[in-house]
Amino acid sequence: MTEIDLETKMSFLIKRLSSSRQELEDIQETFTKTSKEISGLYLKKYPNKKEINQKETEIEPKKEKYIDPQLKKLFKKISIKSHPDKLLFLDDEREANYREELFHKARQALQNNDIFSMIDVAKELKIKTPPITETQLKKVEDEIKDIKNKIYEIESTAVWHWFLCTDAEERKQMLSKIFELMHVYYTGA
């Protein structure tokens, strides 16, 4: 593939990755709210049951994470155009806020070692990005597939089907089945 083809494909994939991430975030948020609603309904129907809590997780010590040098270099270029301290003398407040938002997005990308989000920010600021490689393209494609799989997993759950169901009687039946599954899960019976 030529460099232009790689750039064009990467640009397309970054947009798709961004929208896929947003879709997953929205679906996860809705799923969490719906799960809490069902848990509340379960506790209302079975008040003698213990409070349903998420499993406690231990806090793991932070490990030093490898950050791609190419990513660090790109972040420095972005910082020059978007760091809040560099924006103090910018007259256009909307532009300053926009650039500061981009800076925070770039910092998040750096922390997550996410070259694709960093490239997206760089392009917004009209900063030349390093040449795209086939390996980077493959990585974006793989992340998009992973996100689609996570979305599919959520959309395959009874909770999600209950959320989308519009028929009141069908919802009631589904909720009853979900409660049965919850009872088995929480009591082992």
Side-chain angles (χ1 to χ4, degrees):
M1 227 182 237
T2 68
E3 190 174 322
I4 293 173
D5 291 340
L6 288 174
E7 290 286 332
T8 303
K9 188 171 183 181
M10 180 59 91
S11 178
F12 170 76
L13 288 175
I14 286 174
K15 288 174 187 164
R16 178 171 278 172
L17 178 60
S18 177
S19 66
S20 296
R21 284 176 176 164
Q22 186 60 55
E23 180 182 8
L24 178 60
E25 185 179 314
D26 293 346
I27 286 173
Q28 286 173 326
E29 183 180 325
T30 301
F31 180 78
T32 299
K33 286 178 182 175
T34 304
S35 295
K36 286 179 182 178
E37 180 182 351
I38 288 175
S39 293
L41 292 170
Y42 179 80
L43 290 172
K44 216 180 253 186
K45 185 168 181 161
Y46 304 102
N48 295 334
K49 300 295 180 193
K50 288 187 207 170
E51 186 72 33
I52 301 168
N53 292 324
Q54 298 292 333
K55 293 180 182 178
E56 292 183 28
T57 56
E58 292 180 25
I59 298 173
E60 293 183 28
K62 232 180 184 178
K63 299 173 187 171
E64 280 297 313
K65 194 161 89 174
Y66 169 79
I67 296 180
D68 185 335
Q70 193 177 31
L71 190 65
K72 285 181 184 178
K73 201 182 289 186
L74 192 52
F75 180 74
K76 285 180 183 178
K77 289 179 183 178
I78 290 170
S79 293
I80 290 168
K81 288 191 169 190
S82 65
H83 190 280
D85 291 343
K86 305 274 186 193
L87 303 174
L88 294 174
F89 302 104
L90 198 61
D91 291 333
D92 186 350
E93 190 177 330
R94 258 183 53 212
E95 180 67 18
N97 290 337
Y98 175 69
R99 286 187 189 195
E100 186 173 344
E101 187 179 308
L102 289 175
F103 173 78
H104 292 298
K105 187 176 175 184
R107 189 174 62 197
Q108 185 71 35
L110 182 68
Q111 290 170 346
N112 294 332
N113 210 16
D114 182 356
I115 186 76
F116 316 112
S117 294
M118 190 72 77
I119 288 172
D120 195 28
V121 171
K123 287 185 179 197
E124 286 289 320
L125 293 168
K126 296 177 179 35
I127 295 171
K128 185 171 173 30
T129 57
I132 305 301
T133 65
E134 291 280 350
T135 305
Q136 289 172 325
L137 279 178
K138 176 80 170 108
K139 190 174 176 186
V140 175
E141 289 169 339
D142 289 346
E143 186 174 347
I144 292 169
K145 285 178 190 173
D146 289 345
I147 290 171
K148 287 183 185 282
N149 286 336
K150 288 175 184 174
I151 290 171
Y152 176 78
E153 286 175 18
I154 292 171
E155 291 178 341
S156 299
T157 64
V159 170
W160 191 258
H161 287 277
W162 179 82
F163 167 73
L164 292 178
C165 184
T166 55
D167 181 83
E169 188 57 39
E170 192 176 340
R171 276 189 106 190
K172 188 176 174 182
Q173 291 173 357
M174 291 171 88
L175 193 58
S176 177
K177 292 212 183 280
I178 292 170
F179 286 172
E180 286 175 25
L181 292 170
M182 289 173 76
H183 178 73
V184 169
Y185 179 80
Y186 290 112
T187 63

mmCIF file of all heavy atoms in Angstrom, residues 3-22:
data_model
loop_
_atom_site.group_PDB
_atom_site.id
_atom_site.type_symbol
_atom_site.label_atom_id
_atom_site.label_comp_id
_atom_site.label_asym_id
_atom_site.label_seq_id
_atom_site.Cartn_x
_atom_site.Cartn_y
_atom_site.Cartn_z
ATOM 1 N N GLU A 3 1.888 5.249 0.744
ATOM 2 C CA GLU A 3 1.760 6.076 1.952
ATOM 3 C C GLU A 3 0.426 6.832 1.947
ATOM 4 O O GLU A 3 -0.228 6.968 2.971
ATOM 5 C CB GLU A 3 2.931 7.047 2.050
ATOM 6 C CG GLU A 3 2.977 7.759 3.383
ATOM 7 C CD GLU A 3 4.215 8.617 3.553
ATOM 8 O OE1 GLU A 3 5.301 8.215 3.102
ATOM 9 O OE2 GLU A 3 4.056 9.697 4.134
ATOM 10 N N ILE A 4 -0.003 7.294 0.766
ATOM 11 C CA ILE A 4 -1.278 8.019 0.663
ATOM 12 C C ILE A 4 -2.431 7.081 0.989
ATOM 13 O O ILE A 4 -3.353 7.455 1.717
ATOM 14 C CB ILE A 4 -1.439 8.645 -0.737
ATOM 15 C CG1 ILE A 4 -0.399 9.751 -0.919
ATOM 16 C CG2 ILE A 4 -2.852 9.184 -0.932
ATOM 17 C CD1 ILE A 4 -0.342 10.330 -2.315
ATOM 18 N N ASP A 5 -2.392 5.852 0.461
ATOM 19 C CA ASP A 5 -3.437 4.871 0.762
ATOM 20 C C ASP A 5 -3.486 4.568 2.256
ATOM 21 O O ASP A 5 -4.562 4.462 2.839
ATOM 22 C CB ASP A 5 -3.208 3.569 -0.018
ATOM 23 C CG ASP A 5 -3.427 3.733 -1.511
ATOM 24 O OD1 ASP A 5 -4.093 4.702 -1.930
ATOM 25 O OD2 ASP A 5 -2.927 2.867 -2.263
ATOM 26 N N LEU A 6 -2.308 4.420 2.878
ATOM 27 C CA LEU A 6 -2.248 4.145 4.314
ATOM 28 C C LEU A 6 -2.845 5.307 5.106
ATOM 29 O O LEU A 6 -3.604 5.096 6.055
ATOM 30 C CB LEU A 6 -0.798 3.902 4.763
ATOM 31 C CG LEU A 6 -0.164 2.581 4.335
ATOM 32 C CD1 LEU A 6 1.314 2.551 4.718
ATOM 33 C CD2 LEU A 6 -0.878 1.408 4.974
ATOM 34 N N GLU A 7 -2.509 6.527 4.714
ATOM 35 C CA GLU A 7 -3.033 7.722 5.393
ATOM 36 C C GLU A 7 -4.556 7.786 5.273
ATOM 37 O O GLU A 7 -5.248 8.057 6.252
ATOM 38 C CB GLU A 7 -2.421 9.000 4.800
ATOM 39 C CG GLU A 7 -0.971 9.206 5.115
ATOM 40 C CD GLU A 7 -0.738 9.642 6.549
ATOM 41 O OE1 GLU A 7 -1.621 10.274 7.140
ATOM 42 O OE2 GLU A 7 0.348 9.332 7.070
ATOM 43 N N THR A 8 -5.057 7.543 4.067
ATOM 44 C CA THR A 8 -6.503 7.602 3.831
ATOM 45 C C THR A 8 -7.226 6.529 4.635
ATOM 46 O O THR A 8 -8.228 6.808 5.283
ATOM 47 C CB THR A 8 -6.805 7.417 2.326
ATOM 48 O OG1 THR A 8 -6.101 8.425 1.599
ATOM 49 C CG2 THR A 8 -8.286 7.509 2.032
ATOM 50 N N LYS A 9 -6.676 5.332 4.604
ATOM 51 C CA LYS A 9 -7.300 4.233 5.345
ATOM 52 C C LYS A 9 -7.234 4.503 6.851
ATOM 53 O O LYS A 9 -8.209 4.279 7.567
ATOM 54 C CB LYS A 9 -6.618 2.903 5.006
ATOM 55 C CG LYS A 9 -7.343 1.713 5.597
ATOM 56 C CD LYS A 9 -6.801 0.395 5.086
ATOM 57 C CE LYS A 9 -7.615 -0.756 5.654
ATOM 58 N NZ LYS A 9 -7.120 -2.044 5.218
ATOM 59 N N MET A 10 -6.093 5.002 7.328
ATOM 60 C CA MET A 10 -5.951 5.287 8.749
ATOM 61 C C MET A 10 -6.938 6.368 9.172
ATOM 62 O O MET A 10 -7.570 6.271 10.221
ATOM 63 C CB MET A 10 -4.520 5.699 9.094
ATOM 64 C CG MET A 10 -4.331 6.002 10.572
ATOM 65 S SD MET A 10 -4.730 4.623 11.675
ATOM 66 C CE MET A 10 -3.133 3.846 11.786
ATOM 67 N N SER A 11 -7.088 7.388 8.362
ATOM 68 C CA SER A 11 -8.024 8.468 8.668
ATOM 69 C C SER A 11 -9.443 7.910 8.819
ATOM 70 O O SER A 11 -10.160 8.234 9.768
ATOM 71 C CB SER A 11 -7.975 9.521 7.567
ATOM 72 O OG SER A 11 -8.894 10.536 7.821
ATOM 73 N N PHE A 12 -9.823 7.055 7.904
ATOM 74 C CA PHE A 12 -11.143 6.413 7.956
ATOM 75 C C PHE A 12 -11.267 5.547 9.209
ATOM 76 O O PHE A 12 -12.269 5.620 9.927
ATOM 77 C CB PHE A 12 -11.356 5.565 6.698
ATOM 78 C CG PHE A 12 -12.560 4.689 6.780
ATOM 79 C CD1 PHE A 12 -13.834 5.212 6.619
ATOM 80 C CD2 PHE A 12 -12.425 3.336 7.045
ATOM 81 C CE1 PHE A 12 -14.952 4.399 6.714
ATOM 82 C CE2 PHE A 12 -13.531 2.519 7.143
ATOM 83 C CZ PHE A 12 -14.803 3.049 6.975
ATOM 84 N N LEU A 13 -10.250 4.742 9.487
ATOM 85 C CA LEU A 13 -10.303 3.836 10.632
ATOM 86 C C LEU A 13 -10.317 4.592 11.963
ATOM 87 O O LEU A 13 -10.986 4.170 12.911
ATOM 88 C CB LEU A 13 -9.135 2.850 10.593
ATOM 89 C CG LEU A 13 -9.223 1.771 9.515
ATOM 90 C CD1 LEU A 13 -7.954 0.936 9.481
ATOM 91 C CD2 LEU A 13 -10.437 0.886 9.723
ATOM 92 N N ILE A 14 -9.594 5.705 12.029
ATOM 93 C CA ILE A 14 -9.590 6.498 13.263
ATOM 94 C C ILE A 14 -10.992 7.052 13.526
ATOM 95 O O ILE A 14 -11.465 7.038 14.655
ATOM 96 C CB ILE A 14 -8.532 7.615 13.205
ATOM 97 C CG1 ILE A 14 -7.132 6.997 13.377
ATOM 98 C CG2 ILE A 14 -8.779 8.662 14.281
ATOM 99 C CD1 ILE A 14 -5.987 7.967 13.200
ATOM 100 N N LYS A 15 -11.673 7.506 12.480
ATOM 101 C CA LYS A 15 -13.047 7.991 12.646
ATOM 102 C C LYS A 15 -13.957 6.856 13.103
ATOM 103 O O LYS A 15 -14.784 7.028 13.994
ATOM 104 C CB LYS A 15 -13.561 8.594 11.340
ATOM 105 C CG LYS A 15 -12.926 9.925 11.019
ATOM 106 C CD LYS A 15 -13.346 10.428 9.661
ATOM 107 C CE LYS A 15 -12.552 11.684 9.307
ATOM 108 N NZ LYS A 15 -12.625 12.004 7.904
ATOM 109 N N ARG A 16 -13.792 5.703 12.492
ATOM 110 C CA ARG A 16 -14.613 4.549 12.868
ATOM 111 C C ARG A 16 -14.303 4.115 14.301
ATOM 112 O O ARG A 16 -15.210 3.795 15.070
ATOM 113 C CB ARG A 16 -14.386 3.384 11.913
ATOM 114 C CG ARG A 16 -15.199 2.152 12.337
ATOM 115 C CD ARG A 16 -15.178 1.062 11.344
ATOM 116 N NE ARG A 16 -16.169 1.378 10.326
ATOM 117 C CZ ARG A 16 -16.307 0.691 9.211
ATOM 118 N NH1 ARG A 16 -15.510 -0.313 8.958
ATOM 119 N NH2 ARG A 16 -17.235 1.011 8.346
ATOM 120 N N LEU A 17 -13.027 4.122 14.662
ATOM 121 C CA LEU A 17 -12.623 3.747 16.020
ATOM 122 C C LEU A 17 -13.225 4.718 17.034
ATOM 123 O O LEU A 17 -13.752 4.302 18.067
ATOM 124 C CB LEU A 17 -11.097 3.732 16.137
ATOM 125 C CG LEU A 17 -10.517 3.403 17.509
ATOM 126 C CD1 LEU A 17 -10.953 2.018 17.972
ATOM 127 C CD2 LEU A 17 -8.997 3.486 17.467
ATOM 128 N N SER A 18 -13.159 5.989 16.727
ATOM 129 C CA SER A 18 -13.700 7.002 17.625
ATOM 130 C C SER A 18 -15.208 6.804 17.826
ATOM 131 O O SER A 18 -15.700 6.825 18.959
ATOM 132 C CB SER A 18 -13.415 8.395 17.061
ATOM 133 O OG SER A 18 -13.972 9.374 17.871
ATOM 134 N N SER A 19 -15.930 6.610 16.750
ATOM 135 C CA SER A 19 -17.386 6.412 16.877
ATOM 136 C C SER A 19 -17.699 5.083 17.561
ATOM 137 O O SER A 19 -18.649 4.997 18.347
ATOM 138 C CB SER A 19 -18.082 6.506 15.518
ATOM 139 O OG SER A 19 -17.705 5.454 14.677
ATOM 140 N N SER A 20 -16.889 4.060 17.329
ATOM 141 C CA SER A 20 -17.097 2.764 17.989
ATOM 142 C C SER A 20 -16.860 2.878 19.489
ATOM 143 O O SER A 20 -17.610 2.311 20.290
ATOM 144 C CB SER A 20 -16.165 1.695 17.408
ATOM 145 O OG SER A 20 -16.461 1.452 16.054
ATOM 146 N N ARG A 21 -15.815 3.608 19.870
ATOM 147 C CA ARG A 21 -15.546 3.819 21.302
ATOM 148 C C ARG A 21 -16.711 4.542 21.957
ATOM 149 O O ARG A 21 -17.127 4.201 23.064
ATOM 150 C CB ARG A 21 -14.258 4.621 21.490
ATOM 151 C CG ARG A 21 -12.999 3.835 21.282
ATOM 152 C CD ARG A 21 -11.789 4.737 21.394
ATOM 153 N NE ARG A 21 -10.547 4.000 21.296
ATOM 154 C CZ ARG A 21 -9.377 4.567 21.059
ATOM 155 N NH1 ARG A 21 -9.287 5.880 20.908
ATOM 156 N NH2 ARG A 21 -8.282 3.837 20.989
ATOM 157 N N GLN A 22 -17.233 5.566 21.281
ATOM 158 C CA GLN A 22 -18.350 6.331 21.836
ATOM 159 C C GLN A 22 -19.593 5.453 21.958
ATOM 160 O O GLN A 22 -20.291 5.492 22.966
ATOM 161 C CB GLN A 22 -18.651 7.555 20.966
ATOM 162 C CG GLN A 22 -19.710 8.464 21.561
ATOM 163 C CD GLN A 22 -19.324 9.021 22.917
ATOM 164 O OE1 GLN A 22 -18.278 9.619 23.059
ATOM 165 N NE2 GLN A 22 -20.171 8.826 23.915
#
